[in-house]
Amino acid sequence: MRAAAAAHDLSALLEYRNDDVLELDFSPATVLVIFLVPNMLAVLAPKFRQMKAGTRIVSYHFPLPDWAPVTTEETDHPHTAPPATTSVYY
């Protein structure tokens, strides 16, 4: 992901975090890319709902429970079977 961002001159706009997800403040984010299992998505949904309007949430493989995605895309990746779904929410 970092290499792709660098190839498109986006590195200065991105922040990568490897922290305790339960303690993070998501409010400054304008785009949130996540790869979390369904039970963790359900735990964090209240925090996501507190983000400012228009913030994009991109969830790889698992949908956000009780949210309607704006768009979804099937991703054919050699390490996933069946193909994974990426969902985007606003």
Side-chain angles (χ1 to χ4, degrees), residues 57-63 69-77 80 82-89:
I57 301 174
V58 180
S59 181
Y60 178 71
H61 202 67
F62 300 107
V70 174
T71 185
T72 59
E73 181 179 317
E74 292 276 319
T75 306
D76 190 16
H77 192 277
T80 60
T85 300
T86 301
S87 303
V88 179
Y89 305 84

Side-chain angles (χ1 to χ4, degrees), residues 33-73:
V33 179
I34 52 177
F35 179 40
L36 299 169
V37 294
N39 63 331
M40 187 57 69
L41 291 170
V43 167
L44 292 172
K47 285 183 123 180
F48 298 155
R49 293 189 194 289
Q50 293 174 356
M51 297 172 76
K52 58 187 158 230
T55 299
R56 291 184 186 142
I57 301 174
V58 180
S59 181
Y60 178 71
H61 202 67
F62 300 107
L64 289 172
D66 302 322
W67 289 47
V70 174
T71 185
T72 59
E73 181 179 317

